[in-house]
Amino acid sequence: AQSVTQLGSHVSVSEGALVLLRCNYSSSVPPYLFWYVQYPNQGLQLLLKYTSAATLVKGINGFEAEFKKSETSFHLTKPSAHMSDAAEYFCAVSNNNDMRFGAGTRLTVKP
Amino acid sequence: DTAVSQTPKYLVTQMGNDKSIKCEQNLGHDTMYWYKQDSKKFLKIMFSYNNKELIINETVPNRFSPKSPDKAHLNLHINSLELGDSAVYFCASSPFIGGSETQYFGPGTRLLVL
Protein backbone atom coordinates (compact mmCIF):
# COMPACT_ATOMS: atom_id res chain seq x y z
CA ALA A 1 0.00 0.00 0.00
CA GLN A 2 1.24 3.48 -0.75
CA SER A 3 1.18 6.49 1.53
CA VAL A 4 2.61 9.97 1.92
CA THR A 5 3.77 11.85 4.98
CA GLN A 6 3.84 15.62 5.00
CA LEU A 7 6.22 16.99 7.61
CA GLY A 8 4.78 20.04 9.29
CA SER A 9 1.07 20.69 9.41
CA HIS A 10 1.71 24.43 9.36
CA VAL A 11 4.49 26.42 7.69
CA SER A 12 4.82 30.17 8.01
CA VAL A 13 7.09 32.29 5.80
CA SER A 14 7.57 35.96 5.10
CA GLU A 15 6.61 37.40 1.75
CA GLY A 16 9.57 37.01 -0.61
CA ALA A 17 11.11 34.14 1.37
CA LEU A 18 11.73 30.60 0.16
CA VAL A 19 8.85 28.18 0.50
CA LEU A 20 9.71 24.55 1.30
CA LEU A 21 6.94 22.03 1.95
CA ARG A 22 8.11 18.51 2.70
CA CYS A 23 6.64 15.25 1.46
CA ASN A 24 7.94 11.71 1.84
CA TYR A 25 6.28 8.78 0.17
CA SER A 26 6.06 5.06 0.60
CA SER A 27 5.27 2.86 -2.36
CA SER A 28 6.04 -0.70 -3.35
CA VAL A 29 6.13 0.22 -7.04
CA PRO A 30 7.44 3.32 -8.85
CA PRO A 31 5.04 6.02 -7.77
CA TYR A 32 3.21 8.81 -9.44
CA LEU A 33 3.40 11.86 -7.18
CA PHE A 34 1.30 14.99 -7.09
CA TRP A 35 1.04 18.30 -5.31
CA TYR A 36 -2.39 19.89 -5.06
CA VAL A 37 -3.34 23.26 -3.58
CA GLN A 38 -6.61 24.10 -1.84
CA TYR A 39 -7.61 27.72 -1.35
CA PRO A 40 -10.19 28.49 1.34
CA ASN A 41 -13.63 27.11 0.59
CA GLN A 42 -12.55 25.67 -2.74
CA GLY A 43 -11.72 22.31 -4.24
CA LEU A 44 -8.23 21.01 -4.89
CA GLN A 45 -6.25 22.20 -7.90
CA LEU A 46 -3.21 20.47 -9.39
CA LEU A 47 0.09 22.30 -8.93
CA LEU A 48 2.36 19.70 -10.52
CA LYS A 49 2.91 15.99 -10.90
CA TYR A 50 5.74 13.51 -11.35
CA THR A 51 5.15 10.64 -13.76
CA SER A 52 8.66 9.18 -14.15
CA ALA A 53 9.94 11.64 -16.72
CA ALA A 54 12.20 14.46 -15.47
CA THR A 55 12.90 14.33 -11.75
CA LEU A 56 12.59 18.11 -11.42
CA VAL A 57 9.01 19.04 -12.13
CA LYS A 58 7.84 22.58 -12.72
CA GLY A 59 4.29 23.54 -11.93
CA ILE A 60 2.00 26.54 -11.92
CA ASN A 61 2.53 29.75 -9.97
CA GLY A 62 6.32 29.31 -9.83
CA PHE A 63 6.30 26.09 -7.80
CA GLU A 64 8.53 23.14 -8.49
CA ALA A 65 9.28 19.79 -6.88
CA GLU A 66 12.12 17.32 -7.13
CA PHE A 67 11.66 13.57 -7.04
CA LYS A 68 14.46 11.92 -5.05
CA LYS A 69 14.16 8.17 -5.07
CA SER A 70 17.04 7.64 -2.65
CA GLU A 71 15.31 9.82 -0.08
CA THR A 72 11.74 8.79 -1.04
CA SER A 73 10.94 12.49 -1.11
CA PHE A 74 9.03 14.92 -3.30
CA HIS A 75 9.43 18.29 -1.61
CA LEU A 76 7.69 21.37 -3.00
CA THR A 77 9.57 24.65 -3.32
CA LYS A 78 9.06 28.19 -4.51
CA PRO A 79 11.93 30.71 -4.44
CA SER A 80 9.86 33.69 -3.36
CA ALA A 81 6.55 33.49 -1.50
CA HIS A 82 3.65 35.71 -2.44
CA MET A 83 0.69 36.57 -0.27
CA SER A 84 -1.57 34.75 -2.72
CA ASP A 85 0.28 31.48 -1.99
CA ALA A 86 -1.43 31.21 1.39
CA ALA A 87 -3.42 27.98 1.18
CA GLU A 88 -3.48 24.30 2.15
CA TYR A 89 -1.09 22.08 0.19
CA PHE A 90 -1.53 18.36 -0.27
CA CYS A 91 1.00 15.83 -1.45
CA ALA A 92 -0.45 12.66 -3.00
CA VAL A 93 0.82 9.33 -4.28
CA SER A 94 -1.01 7.28 -6.86
CA ASN A 95 -0.72 3.71 -8.00
CA ASN A 96 -3.12 2.50 -10.66
CA ASN A 97 -6.39 4.13 -9.70
CA ASP A 98 -5.80 4.64 -6.01
CA MET A 99 -4.66 8.13 -4.95
CA ARG A 100 -3.68 8.67 -1.33
CA PHE A 101 -3.29 12.13 0.10
CA GLY A 102 -1.10 13.40 2.89
CA ALA A 103 -2.58 15.24 5.85
CA GLY A 104 -1.88 18.61 4.27
CA THR A 105 0.34 21.58 5.15
CA ARG A 106 -1.14 24.98 5.75
CA LEU A 107 1.08 27.72 4.33
CA THR A 108 0.83 31.16 5.89
CA VAL A 109 2.59 34.12 4.26
CA LYS A 110 3.38 37.11 6.45
CA PRO A 111 3.70 40.58 4.95
CA ASP B 1 -18.47 26.58 -17.69
CA THR B 2 -17.66 24.76 -14.48
CA ALA B 3 -15.72 21.58 -15.24
CA VAL B 4 -16.82 19.60 -12.17
CA SER B 5 -19.92 20.87 -10.41
CA GLN B 6 -21.63 19.72 -7.25
CA THR B 7 -25.03 20.46 -5.80
CA PRO B 8 -25.84 21.56 -3.23
CA LYS B 9 -22.90 23.62 -2.04
CA TYR B 10 -24.16 23.59 1.55
CA LEU B 11 -26.38 21.05 3.25
CA VAL B 12 -27.63 21.34 6.82
CA THR B 13 -29.83 18.53 8.05
CA GLN B 14 -30.97 16.59 11.09
CA MET B 15 -29.63 13.25 12.27
CA GLY B 16 -31.50 10.34 10.78
CA ASN B 17 -32.43 12.09 7.54
CA ASP B 18 -31.56 10.84 4.06
CA LYS B 19 -29.82 13.19 1.63
CA SER B 20 -28.21 13.17 -1.80
CA ILE B 21 -25.34 15.10 -3.32
CA LYS B 22 -25.07 15.40 -7.07
CA CYS B 23 -21.94 15.67 -9.19
CA GLU B 24 -21.58 16.39 -12.87
CA GLN B 25 -18.48 16.77 -15.04
CA ASN B 26 -18.43 18.23 -18.53
CA LEU B 27 -14.83 17.24 -19.30
CA GLY B 28 -15.67 14.00 -21.07
CA HIS B 29 -13.77 12.02 -18.44
CA ASP B 30 -14.22 8.30 -17.91
CA THR B 31 -13.49 8.16 -14.18
CA MET B 32 -15.17 9.87 -11.25
CA TYR B 33 -14.54 9.85 -7.50
CA TRP B 34 -16.01 10.82 -4.16
CA TYR B 35 -13.77 12.03 -1.33
CA LYS B 36 -14.54 13.01 2.26
CA GLN B 37 -12.56 15.82 3.91
CA ASP B 38 -12.89 16.00 7.69
CA SER B 39 -12.52 18.99 9.97
CA LYS B 40 -8.75 18.48 10.14
CA LYS B 41 -8.57 18.72 6.34
CA PHE B 42 -7.74 15.01 5.99
CA LEU B 43 -8.87 13.81 2.57
CA LYS B 44 -9.99 10.21 2.11
CA ILE B 45 -11.24 8.47 -0.99
CA MET B 46 -14.64 6.86 -0.66
CA PHE B 47 -15.53 5.56 -4.11
CA SER B 48 -14.36 5.64 -7.69
CA TYR B 49 -16.24 4.76 -10.85
CA ASN B 50 -14.91 4.10 -14.32
CA ASN B 51 -17.42 4.19 -17.16
CA LYS B 52 -20.27 3.81 -14.66
CA GLU B 53 -18.68 0.78 -13.00
CA LEU B 54 -17.58 0.77 -9.38
CA ILE B 55 -13.79 0.44 -9.10
CA ILE B 56 -12.91 1.47 -5.57
CA ASN B 57 -15.18 1.04 -2.59
CA GLU B 58 -13.24 1.94 0.51
CA THR B 59 -14.31 1.02 4.00
CA VAL B 60 -17.34 3.26 4.06
CA PRO B 61 -20.59 2.54 5.96
CA ASN B 62 -23.19 1.01 3.68
CA ARG B 63 -25.40 4.00 4.49
CA PHE B 64 -23.39 5.66 1.69
CA SER B 65 -24.44 4.57 -1.78
CA PRO B 66 -22.99 6.03 -4.96
CA LYS B 67 -24.92 5.94 -8.20
CA SER B 68 -23.61 6.68 -11.68
CA PRO B 69 -26.45 7.04 -14.20
CA ASP B 70 -23.97 7.90 -16.94
CA LYS B 71 -20.27 8.72 -17.36
CA ALA B 72 -20.81 12.40 -16.63
CA HIS B 73 -22.64 11.98 -13.34
CA LEU B 74 -21.81 10.42 -10.00
CA ASN B 75 -24.27 11.01 -7.19
CA LEU B 76 -23.88 10.16 -3.52
CA HIS B 77 -26.86 9.14 -1.42
CA ILE B 78 -26.54 8.99 2.35
CA ASN B 79 -29.11 7.22 4.52
CA SER B 80 -29.73 7.75 8.22
CA LEU B 81 -27.29 10.62 8.58
CA GLU B 82 -25.11 10.68 11.70
CA LEU B 83 -23.21 13.50 13.42
CA GLY B 84 -19.91 12.00 12.22
CA ASP B 85 -20.96 12.41 8.61
CA SER B 86 -20.44 16.16 8.93
CA ALA B 87 -17.62 16.97 6.53
CA VAL B 88 -16.88 18.42 3.12
CA TYR B 89 -17.53 15.98 0.30
CA PHE B 90 -15.60 16.43 -2.93
CA CYS B 91 -16.35 14.97 -6.29
CA ALA B 92 -13.50 14.60 -8.77
CA SER B 93 -12.93 13.23 -12.25
CA SER B 94 -9.98 12.10 -14.34
CA PRO B 95 -9.66 11.36 -18.06
CA PHE B 96 -8.99 7.66 -17.61
CA ILE B 97 -8.39 5.12 -14.92
CA GLY B 98 -4.69 5.07 -14.13
CA GLY B 99 -2.18 6.29 -11.60
CA SER B 100 -0.70 9.15 -13.63
CA GLU B 101 -4.00 10.83 -14.37
CA THR B 102 -4.69 14.25 -12.88
CA GLN B 103 -7.88 14.46 -10.89
CA TYR B 104 -10.08 17.53 -11.30
CA PHE B 105 -12.03 18.48 -8.22
CA GLY B 106 -15.40 20.07 -7.72
CA PRO B 107 -15.92 22.93 -5.25
CA GLY B 108 -17.18 20.64 -2.49
CA THR B 109 -20.42 20.14 -0.60
CA ARG B 110 -20.33 21.19 3.03
CA LEU B 111 -22.55 18.84 5.02
CA LEU B 112 -23.52 19.65 8.58
CA VAL B 113 -25.56 17.12 10.52
CA LEU B 114 -27.29 18.48 13.62
Side-chain angles (χ1 to χ4, degrees):
Chain A
Q2 69 255 14
S3 64
V4 291
T5 302
Q6 291 184 239
L7 298 172
S9 59
H10 189 198
V11 170
S12 181
V13 300
S14 297
E15 193 173 17
L18 171 72
V19 175
L20 171 60
L21 304 183
R22 298 178 188 273
C23 173
N24 287 88
Y25 70 90
S26 170
S27 178
S28 57
V29 297
Y32 300 112
L33 294 159
F34 302 76
W35 276 100
Y36 283 85
V37 61
Q38 184 180 26
Y39 298 104
N41 297 316
Q42 294 186 28
L44 279 72
Q45 176 185 353
L46 180 73
L47 273 178
L48 49 82
K49 66 178 179 182
Y50 167 76
T51 57
S52 75
T55 56
L56 182 62
V57 182
K58 294 188 185 301
I60 62 171
N61 301 340
F63 284 93
E64 63 181 38
E66 187 171 9
F67 172 70
K68 291 186 177 180
K69 185 178 177 181
S70 60
E71 298 177 9
T72 61
S73 68
F74 190 57
H75 301 331
L76 182 71
T77 60
K78 181 173 180 177
S80 176
H82 192 271
M83 297 296 290
S84 61
D85 295 327
E88 192 88 21
Y89 291 80
F90 292 92
C91 182
V93 61
S94 181
N95 178 5
N96 202 11
N97 190 38
D98 191 4
M99 184 173 286
R100 302 286 164 159
F101 287 84
T105 298
R106 178 178 297 179
L107 176 66
T108 302
V109 183
K110 299 174 291 188
Chain B
D1 285 1
T2 307
V4 182
S5 59
Q6 297 179 227
T7 53
K9 194 169 182 180
Y10 299 95
L11 189 51
V12 181
T13 188
Q14 299 288 329
M15 269 176 51
N17 284 349
D18 303 338
K19 290 293 178 186
S20 291
I21 307 172
K22 295 188 176 182
C23 178
E24 177 181 2
Q25 55 94 2
N26 63 8
L27 297 167
H29 289 171
D30 281 356
T31 312
M32 296 185 72
Y33 312 81
W34 277 111
Y35 287 89
K36 178 181 180 181
Q37 186 175 48
D38 63 23
S39 59
K40 289 183 168 42
K41 299 287 188 181
F42 184 68
L43 200 65
K44 187 174 188 306
I45 190 165
M46 301 173 71
F47 304 102
S48 77
Y49 270 71
N50 186 60
N51 274 321
K52 303 193 301 174
E53 289 193 25
L54 181 65
I55 303 298
I56 289 178
N57 183 357
E58 287 291 299
T59 307
V60 173
N62 57 15
R63 297 181 294 103
F64 290 80
S65 53
K67 283 188 174 49
S68 182
D70 55 57
K71 258 181 26 171
H73 297 84
L74 181 62
N75 303 324
L76 184 65
H77 188 75
I78 316 170
N79 289 327
S80 304
L81 277 154
E82 300 178 358
L83 294 177
D85 297 333
S86 295
V88 182
Y89 292 84
F90 286 101
C91 177
S93 72
S94 63
F96 305 105
I97 192 169
S100 65
E101 295 297 321
T102 298
Q103 294 186 17
Y104 296 79
F105 283 76
T109 294
R110 284 145 186 83
L111 171 64
L112 178 60
V113 183
L114 301 174

